[in-house]
Amino acid sequence: MTKQVRQLDRVVIRFAGDSGDGMQLTGDRFTSETAQLGNDISTLPNFPAEIRAPAGTLPGVSSFQVHFADYDILTPGDSPNVLVAMNPAALKANLVDLPRGAEIIVNTDEFNKRNLAKVGYQVSPLEDGSLDGYSVHPVALTSMTVGALAEHDVSKKDAERAKNMFALGLLSWMYSRPYASTIRFLERKFAARPELVAANIAAFKAGWNFGETTEDFAVRYEVNPARMQPGTYRNITGNAALSLGLVAAGVRSKLPVFLGAYPITPASDILHELSKHKRFGVTTMQAEDEIAAIGAALGASYGGALGVTTTSGPGVALKGETISLAVALELPLVIVDVQRAGPSTGMPTKTEQADLNMALFGRHGEAPIAVIAPKSPADCFYAALEAARIALTYRTPVILLSDNYVANGSEPWLLPDVDSLPDLTVEFATEPNGEDGKAFLPYLRDPATLARPWAIPGTPGLEHRIGGLEKADKTGDISYDPANHDFMVRTRAARIEAIPVPDVEVEDPDGDARVLVLGWGSTYGPIGAACRALRQRGLAVAQAHLRNLSPLPANLGDVLKAYDRVVIPEMNLGQLAHVIRARYLVDAIAYNQVRGLPFTSTELETMLEEVVKNA
């Protein structure tokens, strides 16, 4: 049978099923195949917090969305063009996001009375006409997979589990994806059980062959590679990029990297990744709790290492006292906060930007620190390098504010030339610095950075007092003098404010926009896509994005005053907007949502259109 081949410029696919159906693995493998073809990609994993929610229920639905195109894209896509639904719960949970005419591939084996009843279907949606507005492909994924593996030495349960590989094979055929890397992946993953290697490869090929031979799929699609800057790329998640950024910071600073961490969703993958890089001088310690983790990291910094601790919102709250101690000690420390929905335990696997206030102000006393937020998965690498640079140069804790959307999403990353990365070499104190040439003054400051000397314990002649009590200027002795305390508080604040950060850049192609959209962190993609769409329709709108949140860029005030309206979309209830209003007296328009999901570009486009037209 000769199949029609149709060219597309972009596609959004969502794999959805029970949390035990392997949808994250399926989406990840499809993404890897797509990256090899050179498409630009952006992904959105979405899974339940429960380790194993009740099978076939709405709370147990896990999904993975991948957007790929032959041009530069900024988001995982608003609406899927294709939904692969492994059961009724997956269909019901995701149908609301599908535009009319979208393709739906359903696993008919799971549409039985019991599974339908679990999600409130009285009649199967495959039979009642409710899906007439979509292109539905009923496929008996489970039974066809079991049939394809009938001659393999695997149990029926293991055969049924391979249905995600059948679905992956079908979609790989449908969108002309290569599959050699998936075969190699399966060979590595199940190396200890050769029968599972053979079974999963057979299931994958059965799905591919089904697409090739069935009459139900008459069209095959192709998406050409995107035009990208020349170089070597790899597909990377935010957590992996951030981990490699910390490794690079250790190499470029010639310091050992020490990670003290307590496992917490969605930051645990950083611990997992860094534990693989011992050969680069990385030491990881899984501590008994969050407080011990940051205490160990601060101790490592005191000993002359680059101390790092990783966590999410609840862990940052527990680490607050030790962060304040690091402020008083004036030692470098990188605190990675992969934000998730709160308060308290909140929704551990859902995204939010609501830790900004805590990062800026969440410590006792006047304890300002630097705060940086990456805008995308690949940007996590450079944000980690910048966090380390600031921490090492200015002897300060730095909070790196990632979030679940950035951390688990993925995109192509252009591997950098290592020699082009910043030199982070540190000069430790090696001899007394007092006027008499004999005394060591641990709080005698570098006039350029206001940073104090960093003396490795055990260096002869550099003995000095440490601890959380207020220090006397220069000598570091305990001091309760009011004037000294005022001086030290102001000096620590001035050291943060004096950190030079790049000016904020404004994207205003025609220079005649009256509305500025200001974002930070992971809102970069949806805001950029919305502004791009408005400009294509002839509406002028400017965009600026903040990576440095403390200190803020020196030119930000002038930028804000150059526009009639400033709109700040955030996945919180207006935390950056409050800062902007208070500091710059700008009546910023806050646009907020806290649904545990990123903004869609469509909702931002609709909102911004109203603001632009009424500006």
Side-chain angles (χ1 to χ4, degrees):
M1 182 187 303
T2 301
K3 299 291 182 84
Q4 178 185 355
V5 178
R6 186 176 302 165
Q7 206 72 34
L8 300 175
D9 62 350
R10 59 176 289 274
V11 179
V12 180
I13 298 174
R14 184 180 297 176
F15 298 91
D18 193 68
S19 56
D21 285 337
M23 294 295 94
Q24 303 305 315
L25 174 63
T26 306
D28 181 70
R29 292 316 311 161
F30 189 90
T31 300
S32 295
E33 294 171 356
T34 298
Q36 289 186 60
L37 275 180
N39 298 127
D40 195 19
I41 53 176
S42 181
T43 67
L44 177 63
N46 189 6
F47 44 87
E50 292 79 5
I51 293 175
R52 189 67 175 91
T57 63
L58 291 173
V61 173
S62 174
S63 68
F64 189 105
Q65 183 163 304
V66 53
H67 181 193
F68 57 103
D70 64 5
Y71 59 90
D72 174 47
I73 56 175
L74 298 171
T75 75
D78 293 351
S79 303
N81 307 113
V82 181
L83 171 67
V84 179
M86 303 298 278
N87 60 20
L91 177 65
K92 189 167 189 176
N94 293 282
L95 190 61
V96 66
D97 295 331
L98 264 63
R100 307 300 280 183
E103 294 194 79
I104 304 175
I105 299 172
V106 287
N107 180 15
T108 55
D109 289 321
E110 295 297 319
F111 279 69
N112 54 48
K113 288 184 179 180
R114 182 183 179 189
N115 287 340
L116 291 168
K118 284 182 181 179
V119 294
Y121 280 130
Q122 301 299 319
V123 180
S124 172
L126 304 180
E127 301 171 355
D128 65 2
S130 60
L131 301 180
D132 288 349
Y134 307 94
S135 177
V136 180
H137 302 277
V139 181
L141 289 173
T142 306
S143 57
M144 292 180 72
T145 303
V146 171
L149 304 185
E151 303 300 322
H152 287 258
D153 185 22
V154 292
S155 66
K156 183 180 179 182
K157 186 175 183 180
D158 283 337
E160 290 177 347
R161 283 176 174 169
K163 62 181 178 289
N164 64 325
M165 288 296 107
F166 188 103
L168 178 59
L170 173 58
L171 269 294
S172 297
W173 171 86
M174 193 172 173
Y175 287 94
S176 308
R177 305 292 96 181
Y179 61 79
S181 65
T182 294
I183 302 300
R184 291 193 296 269
F185 168 81
L186 293 172
E187 290 171 344
R188 292 193 304 270
K189 182 175 177 63
F190 299 110
R193 297 187 63 184
E195 73 278 10
L196 291 184
V197 173
N200 279 277
I201 291 176
F204 179 90
K205 290 182 176 180
W208 180 285
N209 293 334
F210 176 73
E212 184 71 40
T213 57
T214 183
E215 295 183 4
D216 193 32
F217 293 93
V219 179
R220 191 178 189 186
Y221 302 96
E222 291 182 351
V223 179
N224 288 329
R227 293 182 179 178
M228 305 175 80
Q229 181 181 345
T232 302
Y233 287 81
R234 61 164 287 188
N235 181 45
I236 200 164
T237 66
N239 274 345
L242 195 152
S243 301
L244 295 181
L246 293 172
V247 173
V251 172
R252 297 298 288 173
S253 64
K254 302 179 181 64
L255 296 178
V257 175
F258 177 89
L259 173 68
Y262 181 74
I264 183 171
T265 301
S268 299
D269 281 343
I270 302 173
L271 171 61
H272 302 158
E273 180 64 31
L274 283 177
S275 68
K276 304 173 184 176
H277 299 292
K278 296 181 179 66
R279 66 187 183 279
F280 291 109
V282 178
T283 300
T284 55
M285 184 186 82
Q286 181 174 318
E288 64 267 31
D289 56 44
E290 295 282 6
I291 299 172
I294 191 173
L298 182 56
S301 289
Y302 174 62
L306 173 57
V308 182
T309 189
T310 54
T311 188
S312 191
V316 178
L318 292 167
K319 296 177 188 295
E321 182 178 5
T322 307
I323 297 174
S324 288
L325 176 60
V327 171
L329 293 177
E330 300 188 36
L331 286 172
L333 182 66
V334 176
I335 304 105
V336 178
D337 177 6
V338 186
Q339 300 166 95
R340 70 189 204 187
S344 189
T345 312
M347 298 191 295
T349 60
K350 309 302 178 184
T351 197
E352 206 163 88
Q353 287 183 300
D355 292 353
L356 178 59
N357 281 342
M358 181 164 60
L360 294 174
F361 313 116
R363 289 162 294 285
H364 54 286
E366 293 288 344
I369 64 176
V371 181
I372 295 173
K375 65 182 181 181
S376 69
D379 189 46
C380 286
F381 175 84
Y382 297 99
L385 269 174
E386 178 66 2
R389 185 192 70 82
I390 290 175
L392 294 171
T393 304
Y394 297 91
R395 312 286 196 265
T396 178
V398 179
I399 288 184
L400 182 54
L401 274 180
S402 178
D403 64 43
N404 186 68
Y405 172 36
V406 163
N408 288 313
S410 62
E411 66 178 349
W413 173 48
L414 175 62
L415 271 61
D417 176 8
V418 175
D419 292 336
S420 70
L421 299 178
D423 183 356
L424 305 182
T425 304
V426 174
E427 291 187 8
F428 291 103
T430 57
E431 56 188 18
N433 58 357
E435 290 183 2
D436 59 3
K438 298 179 180 180
F440 176 59
L441 303 178
Y443 283 83
L444 181 67
R445 301 181 181 280
D446 182 326
T449 64
L450 297 181
R452 76 175 187 89
W454 190 3
I456 296 178
T459 305
L462 303 191
E463 296 83 358
H464 60 283
R465 184 188 302 273
I466 65 166
L469 293 173
E470 183 61 282
K471 310 293 185 299
D473 179 37
K474 298 183 179 63
T475 67
D477 294 336
I478 294 173
S479 173
Y480 294 96
D481 178 69
N484 177 78
H485 178 57
D486 184 82
F487 175 80
M488 293 296 279
V489 167
R490 293 179 185 277
T491 301
R492 288 190 289 261
R495 189 175 82 256
I496 300 302
E497 282 300 314
I499 295 172
V501 301
D503 282 348
V504 63
E505 296 181 358
V506 181
E507 185 179 334
D508 186 358
D510 297 325
D512 57 355
R514 300 175 61 191
V515 174
L516 172 71
V517 189
L518 181 67
W520 68 276
S522 65
T523 58
Y524 174 79
I527 291 174
C531 290
R532 180 186 290 177
L534 289 172
R535 293 183 194 122
Q536 289 173 347
R537 295 166 48 202
L539 297 175
V541 62
Q543 177 189 3
H545 204 77
L546 295 176
R547 180 200 249 180
N548 296 90
L549 297 161
S550 174
L552 290 163
N555 71 329
L556 181 57
D558 292 337
V559 167
L560 296 173
K561 292 174 183 177
Y563 293 90
D564 297 339
R565 295 283 188 274
V566 177
V567 184
I568 305 178
E570 295 180 83
M571 292 185 291
N572 56 44
L573 295 183
Q575 295 183 15
L576 178 63
H578 293 162
V579 172
I580 295 300
R581 288 168 178 163
R583 180 156 183 167
Y584 299 103
L585 302 181
V586 170
D587 188 18
I589 301 170
Y591 183 78
N592 310 108
Q593 59 97 335
V594 281
R595 300 173 300 175
L597 293 170
F599 286 110
T600 66
S601 60
T602 301
E603 67 180 303
L604 292 183
E605 181 184 350
T606 301
M607 177 272 297
L608 292 173
E609 180 178 6
E610 290 298 313
V611 176
V612 170
K613 288 182 176 179
N614 294 314

